[in-house]
């Protein structure tokens, strides 16, 4: 049997419908029985019909596309939660109006009062490369503080800071002072409230926090707060 035979066949029709819509398997079967599904213009009622690459499958005349892995950047607004459920504030996933949003998860959380870059995906291995401490993926923040910053902090942050209730020091962090009360900070860890705790440890207080970048992925300046877009292939591949 020639090898290409194996690549022709993608999936059974009922699974294809589930993988490209919000329908459960039993609702997909009902749609099939009603005659709502066509393949290349012909009604198909059989759940185990084998969908091939060249087939155009429509449900109520709308073409269906199998969902592959999804990679999204969001400019997170204030008062939203990096959680898959709503709690005190709504989940950021409410802002992502795609089908099967329940298959997405957040790669690295921000606090409710932090804005900026959040990466959202359906691919667990990819998000692991962002969140695993072993990978030391850099995250860059723009911050505003209550008390004036001094140049000595650059060296202090480079050497590492002892955080309250933590053993050892934070990993070397890069602090760039932009003005008396504004700085950029790049860290390669993701400890709980890390940036706020680092500034608290040196007697200061973060009053505004915004994430600008994760690894090589920069927040797209064309995205207003609350807006999102899919990552480009280059952005996706930059996470290793
Ligand atoms: N560090 C914090 O303290 N808060 C965030 O949201 C992100 C990093």
């Amino acid at each position: 049997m020639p090898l290409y035979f194996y690549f022709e066949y993608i999936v059974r029709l009922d699974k294809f419908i589930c993988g490209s819509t919000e329908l459960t398997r039993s609702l997909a079967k009902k749609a099939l029985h009603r005659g709502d599904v066509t393949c290349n213009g012909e009604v198909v009622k059989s759940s185990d019909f084998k969908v091939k690459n060249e087939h155009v499958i429509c449900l109520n005349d709308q073409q269906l596309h199998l969902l592959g892995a999804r990679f999204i950047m969001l400019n997170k607004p204030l008062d939203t939660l990096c959680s898959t459920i709503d709690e005190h504030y709504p989940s950021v996933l409410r802002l992502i109006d795609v089908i099967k949003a329940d298959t997405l998860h957040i790669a690295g959380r921000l606090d409710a009062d932090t804005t900026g870059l959040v990466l959202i995906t359906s691919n667990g291995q990819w998000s692991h490369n962002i969140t695993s401490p072993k990978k030391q993926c850099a995250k860059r923040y723009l911050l505003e503080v209550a008390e004036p910053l001094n140049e000595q902090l650059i060296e202090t942050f480079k050497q590492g800071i002892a955080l309250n209730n933590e053993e050892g020091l934070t990993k070397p962090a890069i602090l760039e002072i932009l003005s008396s009360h504004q700085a950029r900070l790049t860290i390669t860890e993701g400890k709980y409230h890390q940036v706020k705790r680092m500034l608290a440890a040196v007697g200061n207080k973060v009053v505004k926090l915004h994430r600008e970048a994760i690894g090589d992925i920069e927040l797209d300046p064309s995205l207003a707060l609350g807006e999102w877009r899919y990552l480009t292939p280059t952005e996706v591949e930059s996470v290793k």
Side-chain angles (χ1 to χ4, degrees), residues 1-10 52-54:
M1 198 174 287
L3 195 58
Y4 62 76
F5 176 85
Y6 295 105
F7 295 114
E8 265 193 335
Y9 161 62
I10 304 177
K52 297 180 183 173
N53 282 322
E54 68 270 23

Side-chain angles (χ1 to χ4, degrees), residues 78-114:
L78 287 172
D79 298 344
T80 52
L81 289 184
C82 284
S83 139
T84 49
I85 51 165
D86 300 333
E87 285 167 85
H88 187 58
Y89 293 112
S91 157
V92 290
L93 293 182
R94 293 238 173 214
L95 299 165
I96 314 292
D97 47 344
V98 293
I99 63 165
K100 291 191 181 284
D102 59 329
T103 64
L104 300 173
H105 63 272
I106 297 148
R109 298 160 73 104
L110 289 180
D111 299 333
D113 60 357
T114 303

Side-chain angles (χ1 to χ4, degrees), residues 109-111 114 141 193-197 209:
R109 298 160 73 104
L110 289 180
D111 299 333
T114 303
Y141 295 88
H193 292 329
Q194 180 159 345
V195 174
K196 291 174 187 162
R197 287 164 73 209
L209 189 57

Side-chain angles (χ1 to χ4, degrees), residues 11-214:
V11 69
R12 309 167 34 117
L13 183 51
D14 55 354
K15 277 197 167 180
F16 184 95
I17 296 168
C18 295
S20 52
T21 68
E22 299 274 19
L23 296 188
T24 59
R25 187 78 80 93
S26 81
L27 287 176
K29 285 189 171 156
K30 283 185 182 150
L32 282 161
H33 286 139
R34 279 198 304 269
D36 293 348
V37 181
T38 57
C39 171
N40 295 351
E42 303 284 328
V43 171
V44 184
K45 295 198 168 187
S46 156
S47 296
D48 63 2
F49 175 87
K50 290 178 178 48
V51 181
K52 297 180 183 173
N53 282 322
E54 68 270 23
H55 287 157
V56 174
I57 305 294
C58 292
L59 172 66
N60 296 322
D61 299 324
Q62 292 282 323
Q63 188 174 350
L64 302 183
H65 300 277
L66 266 188
L67 293 174
R70 292 180 287 175
F71 305 92
I72 286 168
M73 75 159 68
L74 166 74
N75 189 359
K76 177 190 173 297
L78 287 172
D79 298 344
T80 52
L81 289 184
C82 284
S83 139
T84 49
I85 51 165
D86 300 333
E87 285 167 85
H88 187 58
Y89 293 112
S91 157
V92 290
L93 293 182
R94 293 238 173 214
L95 299 165
I96 314 292
D97 47 344
V98 293
I99 63 165
K100 291 191 181 284
D102 59 329
T103 64
L104 300 173
H105 63 272
I106 297 148
R109 298 160 73 104
L110 289 180
D111 299 333
D113 60 357
T114 303
T115 58
L117 179 61
V118 171
L119 297 175
I120 296 168
T121 182
S122 58
N123 184 321
Q125 181 57 51
W126 189 83
S127 57
H128 176 76
N129 289 338
I130 290 170
T131 54
S132 165
K134 280 194 197 139
K135 301 282 178 179
Q136 298 195 20
C137 176
K139 288 115 194 159
R140 195 178 76 232
Y141 295 88
L142 188 62
L143 52 98
E144 270 179 42
V145 283
E147 306 299 330
L149 296 158
N150 64 68
E151 295 286 328
Q152 281 163 2
L153 281 180
I154 297 174
E155 190 55 29
T156 312
F157 277 27
K158 197 167 152 193
Q159 296 303 322
I161 304 261
L163 296 179
N164 208 4
N165 297 326
E166 296 257 352
E167 287 193 2
L169 300 179
T170 54
K171 293 218 156 42
I174 303 168
L175 183 72
E176 187 192 347
I177 297 179
L178 304 173
S179 69
S180 64
H181 288 77
Q182 250 208 344
R184 278 211 167 83
L185 181 64
T186 304
I187 58 175
T188 57
E189 299 164 289
K191 293 180 193 289
Y192 181 65
H193 292 329
Q194 180 159 345
V195 174
K196 291 174 187 162
R197 287 164 73 209
M198 285 174 79
L199 272 295
V202 295
N204 213 324
K205 182 174 164 45
V206 172
V207 292
K208 210 167 170 188
L209 189 57
H210 178 79
R211 186 154 64 194
E212 297 182 318
I214 296 176

Side-chain angles (χ1 to χ4, degrees), residues 222-235:
S222 72
L223 293 178
L225 286 169
E227 289 183 346
W228 64 274
R229 70 158 169 80
Y230 286 108
L231 297 189
T232 64
T234 310
E235 286 168 336

